[in-house]
Amino acid sequence: MEPTILYIFGLFEDAHNQLFCSLESRIKQKGYICRGIELYSESQFGSYSFPQEIRQIQDIVDKRKPAMIIAHSLGSYIAMQLNFTYPLLLLDPSLTIAEIMEPNIREKNNISVYDDGEQCIVLSKEFTSSIAKVPSVEMVCQNSQTKDICIVGAGHGGHIVAEQYAACLPTAHYFFLPNANHDFSDKNDVKEIFKIIKSGLELFQAA
């Protein structure tokens, strides 16, 4: 099997995401396959429980046995709940899914609807009840199996939350990009992120 890097997308992101595409092209040049994992990729988001989606992502990780896992935003919160020991790079990790979604969930005719002004999605009762019980950022960090973790915080994004992850993971390496936004859309920020990826791969190859 060719060496693989898995990239777990954030909320409502897909393979057309600019950050993913930029990193994917660079990763391929290093001789790795870069596979993106979209949340609820084969069905409507929120159509079944959040823990079930985490289990499906775990199955992909177990099958691919990646050299590294990269996760952006909500993907980072998910990655911290997976069982693995591969190197992990968290890019501007997010709050819990409940903290992200619940402020924008409304009940209409006994139906739960998520509406943030851009996305409007009907959510199953199974999903809404499951996110009400999700673990805190502190808890998922305490339960993490992997010790080789790098975290990148964006100065114009969610660096405060990224620093919360770093504080809960004393062995993690924290990098602060002061001019970056949450999507790391600037080319210089992508270059800095790729330097971190390359260093991690070099350590992996030397092990």
Side-chain angles (χ1 to χ4, degrees):
M1 183 182 295
E2 294 181 271
T4 301
I5 291 177
L6 294 178
Y7 183 106
I8 304 175
F9 288 104
L11 185 64
F12 305 131
E13 294 177 350
D14 59 25
H16 300 292
N17 176 264
Q18 181 180 340
L19 175 60
F20 171 73
C21 292
S22 297
L23 292 177
E24 180 187 30
S25 63
R26 289 170 169 79
I27 288 167
K28 285 183 176 179
Q29 291 173 8
K30 295 292 291 183
Y32 289 80
I33 294 172
C34 184
R35 174 172 179 181
I37 302 176
E38 298 175 22
L39 306 186
Y40 289 81
S41 62
E42 296 181 1
S43 59
Q44 178 179 298
F45 186 91
S47 57
Y48 52 84
S49 79
F50 190 63
Q52 183 179 340
E53 178 64 5
I54 293 176
R55 289 193 295 271
Q56 292 182 180
I57 294 173
Q58 179 73 62
D59 289 343
I60 296 171
V61 171
D62 293 342
K63 180 180 178 181
R64 301 297 304 192
K65 297 180 173 57
M68 176 185 288
I69 294 176
I70 303 169
H72 178 240
S73 193
L74 181 60
S76 299
Y77 174 70
I78 292 171
M80 294 303 300
Q81 298 179 65
L82 301 175
N83 181 23
F84 62 83
T85 57
Y86 311 111
L88 174 62
L89 174 58
L90 306 179
L91 302 177
D92 222 26
S94 75
L95 296 166
T96 72
I97 189 168
E99 292 170 294
I100 294 170
M101 297 199 71
E102 284 180 345
N104 294 311
I105 295 177
R106 303 288 181 265
E107 294 293 327
K108 298 180 179 179
N109 299 322
N110 204 31
I111 296 173
S112 297
V113 178
Y114 173 84
D115 188 351
D116 62 7
E118 294 184 8
Q119 301 283 342
C120 186
I121 301 171
V122 175
L123 304 172
S124 69
K125 292 187 182 300
E126 183 183 11
F127 176 84
T128 54
S129 62
S130 73
I131 67 168
K133 304 171 186 175
V134 295
S136 65
V137 166
E138 292 82 4
M139 189 175 295
V140 297
C141 289
Q142 289 170 6
N143 293 336
S144 174
Q145 298 297 310
T146 187
K147 303 302 179 186
D148 188 359
I149 302 175
C150 290
I151 303 169
V152 179
H156 296 295
H159 69 93
I160 293 175
V161 178
E163 288 158 12
Q164 183 181 353
Y165 278 75
C168 296
L169 296 163
T171 62
H173 302 281
Y174 180 68
F175 299 86
F176 177 60
L177 300 183
N179 298 316
N181 58 26
H182 181 63
D183 295 327
F184 300 100
S185 56
D186 187 271
K187 291 181 180 179
N188 290 326
D189 294 323
V190 174
K191 287 180 182 178
E192 290 302 312
I193 291 170
F194 186 65
K195 286 180 184 178
I196 299 169
I197 295 170
K198 196 161 64 170
S199 296
L201 291 176
E202 288 168 356
L203 289 173
F204 171 80
Q205 290 168 342

